């Protein structure tokens, strides 16, 4: 959510920043609504003051026996009362209109975000690891002999339709091990607090974390109004909604492993093979709530937490800074981590780490009390995947595949796999 006062003070700067995201000249229409809204508020306050003054005079006129003045003042009070109600209703309507207009405008990009139209204009920051060399042609995860029997798309389709998968046996265990490895690493080494959060949330939580009203079609809503979370960013971030935190409590760092649900409304025909893009998937999420002066540093910290997971697993990756045309709606700056997937001979996104500044905090009224006093300030919120479990499974299977149809698994997973480090061509952990 944008601050109308900031737009009022520097409309040119607002328009210039927004134009970097392909949206032109909104300040004039916003300020027109704002001016009309403020005029209605002023008119309501003026009418209220006149009503109050007339009300005081009514008694005096009655006491003096001036019936004509009494009737005039009583009529005036009634008229002003109606005028106040009309102006207040108009001000409320305009306030709701302004709030809606502000709610569907994307966040302003940070100054260091590269300009660009789409993913082709993203800027690579660094690479890690060596891409494996095979003496055979590597295949995609669902084509690996040891994986096929344990990754069933046909049964999932019979139960739920397209973009679902049924994992079983060793592959299901590897998937579970990955999630446990991630969450334990974030808790034990990265000092995040583990949360077990709801996956059903109210409208307010979706709105406060900028998923509504603009992206309702990308999520699933139950018949009684709850939303299935697209990511646990929603419940974790919304824990701060309406709160006034002590400055010394910041930063608040959380992590959760949850199911996530997305309709993939805009991805018809895209990534239909395998389990790369699913309606239901699991993710280990990281969320930080910070002091504004520390949010940029916190984003780098979160990025390293996510990168560290892939490094422990030995999965090659690259980190890119998203350009203005590829960033998410609520992001001020985003870094994507893309894992190498040999079966596709390319890098694929496995994590996004974003800072929203105070964009979400304004929507959900999350503030903190400065230690040295002064007025309350909005916190900054950040979120990042640490990591997407299914996509990490894909990367581990494809990078570790062997000529006989088996998979050499990362040593880091052994404690969660009973000490086993290999998936046999028959689909067994050995």
């Amino acid at each position: 959510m944008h601050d109308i006062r900031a737009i009022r003070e520097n409309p040119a700067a607002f328009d210039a920043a927004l134009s970097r995201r392909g949206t032109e000249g909104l300040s004039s229409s916003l300020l027109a609504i704002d001016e009309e809204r403020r005029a209605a508020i002023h008119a309501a306050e003026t009418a209220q003051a006149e009503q109050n003054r007339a009300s005081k005079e009514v008694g005096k006129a009655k006491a003096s026996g001036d019936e004509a003045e009494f009737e005039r003042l009583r009529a005036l009070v009634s008229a002003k009362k109606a005028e106040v109600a009309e102006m207040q209703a108009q001000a409320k309507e305009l306030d709701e209109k302004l709030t809606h207009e502000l709610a569907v405008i994307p966040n302003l990009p940070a100054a260091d975000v590269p300009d660009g139209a789409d993913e082709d204009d993203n800027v690579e920051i660094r690479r890690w690891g060596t891409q494996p060399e095979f003496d055979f042609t590597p295949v995609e995860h669902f084509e690996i002999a040891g994986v096929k029997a344990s990754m069933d798309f046909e049964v999932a389709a019979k139960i739920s339709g397209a973009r679902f998968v049924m994992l079983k046996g060793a592959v299901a265990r590897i998937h579970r091990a990955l999630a446990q490895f991630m969450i334990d690493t974030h808790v034990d080494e990265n000092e995040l607090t583990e949360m077990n959060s709801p996956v059903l949330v109210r409208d307010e939580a979706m709105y406060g974390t900028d998923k509504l009203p603009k992206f309702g079609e990308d999520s699933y809503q139950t018949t009684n109004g709850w939303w299935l979370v697209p990511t646990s960013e929603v419940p974790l971030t919304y824990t701060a909604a309406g709160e006034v935190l002590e400055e010394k409590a910041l930063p608040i760092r959380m992590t959760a492993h949850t199911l996530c649900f997305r309709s993939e409304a805009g991805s018809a025909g895209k990534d239909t093979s395998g389990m790369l893009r699913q309606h239901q998937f699991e993710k280990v999420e990281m969320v930080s709530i910070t002091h504004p002066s520390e949010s940029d540093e916190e984003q780098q910290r979160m990025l390293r937490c996510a990168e560290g997971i892939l490094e422990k697993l030995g999965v090659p990756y690259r980190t890119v800074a998203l350009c203005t045309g590829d960033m998410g709606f609520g992001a001020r700056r985003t870094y994507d981590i893309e894992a190498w997937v040999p079966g596709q001979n390319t890098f694929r996104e496995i994590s996004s780490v974003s800072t929203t500044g105070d964009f979400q905090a304004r929507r959900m009224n999350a503030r903190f009390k400065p230690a040295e006093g002064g007025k309350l300030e909005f916190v900054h919120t950040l979120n990042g995947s640490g990591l997407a479990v299914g996509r990490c499974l894909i990367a581990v299977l494809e990078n570790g595949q062997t000529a006989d149809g088996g998979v050499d698994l990362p040593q880091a997973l052994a404690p969660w796999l009973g000490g086993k480090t290999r998936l046999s061509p028959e689909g067994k952990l050995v």
Side-chain angles (χ1 to χ4, degrees):
M1 180 74 76
H2 295 284
D3 182 1
I4 189 62
R5 289 172 297 181
I7 299 172
R8 203 183 296 145
E9 290 169 3
N10 199 339
F14 176 79
D15 285 341
L18 207 54
S19 69
R20 296 179 61 206
R21 300 200 67 163
T23 303
E24 301 294 338
L26 291 180
S27 66
S28 57
S29 60
L30 293 170
L31 292 176
I33 300 171
D34 180 50
E35 185 176 352
E36 189 177 356
R37 176 185 67 94
R38 294 167 72 196
I41 292 172
H42 178 72
E45 291 173 345
T46 300
Q48 182 71 66
E50 292 172 351
Q51 178 189 339
N52 293 341
R53 284 195 297 271
S55 295
K56 292 178 181 178
E57 296 299 320
V58 166
K60 294 179 182 179
K62 183 70 172 176
S64 67
D66 189 341
E67 195 64 26
E69 181 65 5
F70 170 75
E71 292 298 335
R72 186 189 73 80
L73 289 170
R74 190 168 68 168
L76 178 60
V77 169
S78 179
K80 288 301 175 183
K81 184 177 180 180
E83 185 179 347
V84 168
E86 181 183 353
M87 289 298 101
Q88 286 178 337
Q90 184 178 339
K92 181 182 178 182
E93 182 180 338
L94 288 166
D95 188 66
E96 290 173 351
K97 181 179 180 181
L98 180 61
T99 298
H100 173 75
E101 293 297 323
L102 290 171
V104 296
I105 298 172
N107 202 352
L108 303 182
D112 60 354
V113 172
D115 289 326
D118 52 36
E119 62 183 12
D120 292 334
D121 296 318
N122 294 340
V123 177
E124 185 173 314
I125 302 298
R126 55 180 166 268
R127 292 193 181 199
W128 182 91
T130 302
Q131 296 169 14
E133 295 183 3
F134 302 97
D135 56 6
F136 60 95
T137 301
V139 297
E140 294 194 60
H141 55 286
F142 55 91
E143 298 174 316
I144 299 171
V147 174
K148 283 183 179 180
S150 299
M151 190 174 285
D152 199 325
F153 297 96
E154 290 184 5
V155 167
K158 178 178 71 174
I159 298 168
S160 304
R163 294 193 189 277
F164 289 91
V165 64
M166 180 79 79
L167 300 180
K168 55 187 177 182
V171 174
R173 185 172 182 180
I174 297 168
H175 184 270
R176 173 165 55 88
L178 281 166
Q180 291 177 303
F181 159 70
M182 291 174 195
I183 203 83
D184 286 352
T185 299
H186 289 316
V187 171
D188 297 338
E189 299 182 21
N190 298 332
E191 300 180 350
L192 278 66
T193 299
E194 182 176 2
M195 309 288 281
N196 191 323
S197 62
V199 295
L200 289 169
V201 298
R202 298 161 58 184
D203 286 355
E204 294 89 338
M206 291 286 281
Y207 178 86
T209 52
D210 66 57
K211 307 302 177 282
L212 291 178
K214 197 168 179 64
F215 299 105
E217 67 174 10
D218 294 325
S219 297
Y220 292 107
Q221 189 174 26
T222 66
T223 55
N224 58 355
W226 280 320
W227 293 87
L228 290 166
V229 296
T231 162
S232 58
E233 168 203 343
V234 175
L236 296 187
T237 305
Y238 203 70
T239 58
E243 299 293 328
V244 176
L245 304 168
E246 295 293 334
E247 183 176 352
K248 64 182 179 182
L250 304 176
I252 298 171
R253 295 169 175 147
M254 298 171 279
T255 186
H257 166 221
T258 65
L259 285 167
C260 304
F261 306 87
R262 295 183 188 173
S263 70
E264 298 292 349
S267 62
K270 185 177 182 182
D271 297 324
T272 55
S273 298
M275 59 177 295
L276 190 68
R277 193 179 295 274
Q278 301 275 285
H279 290 310
Q280 173 188 307
F281 57 97
E282 294 179 37
K283 187 149 69 84
V284 173
E285 186 75 2
M286 305 179 291
V287 164
S288 289
I289 299 168
T290 74
H291 190 286
S293 66
E294 298 173 351
S295 63
D296 287 348
E297 181 180 347
E298 184 68 11
Q299 187 180 21
Q300 294 299 321
R301 182 187 190 276
M302 292 174 71
L303 185 61
R304 285 299 304 142
C305 289
E307 291 173 334
I309 295 292
L310 288 176
E311 290 173 14
K312 286 177 179 292
L313 294 171
V315 173
Y317 69 84
R318 70 171 192 158
T319 300
V320 299
L322 298 198
C323 70
T324 52
D326 198 32
M327 284 200 309
F329 175 80
R332 183 172 181 269
R333 182 194 302 107
T334 297
Y335 296 103
D336 270 8
I337 304 171
E338 300 175 349
W340 176 251
V341 284
Q344 293 188 20
N345 193 39
T346 191
F347 289 96
R348 296 303 298 257
E349 180 209 330
I350 200 167
S351 172
S352 284
V353 180
S354 300
T355 176
T356 74
D358 62 5
F359 190 76
Q360 292 178 331
R362 288 184 180 278
R363 296 170 80 100
M364 59 184 189
N365 196 29
R367 298 170 294 171
F368 72 95
K369 183 188 302 180
E372 297 181 357
K375 67 177 183 178
L376 302 180
E377 298 180 39
F378 288 105
V379 297
H380 279 196
T381 61
L382 304 94
N383 62 82
S385 311
L387 305 160
V389 182
R391 292 194 173 194
C392 197
L393 175 66
I394 291 171
V396 164
L397 294 175
E398 292 194 14
N399 280 280
Q401 62 184 294
T402 54
D404 62 359
V407 178
D408 289 332
L409 300 169
Q411 186 65 40
L413 292 182
W416 291 271
L417 294 174
K420 309 294 178 57
T421 58
R422 179 167 166 77
L423 179 70
S424 74
E426 294 74 37
K428 303 294 184 181
L429 285 172
V430 294

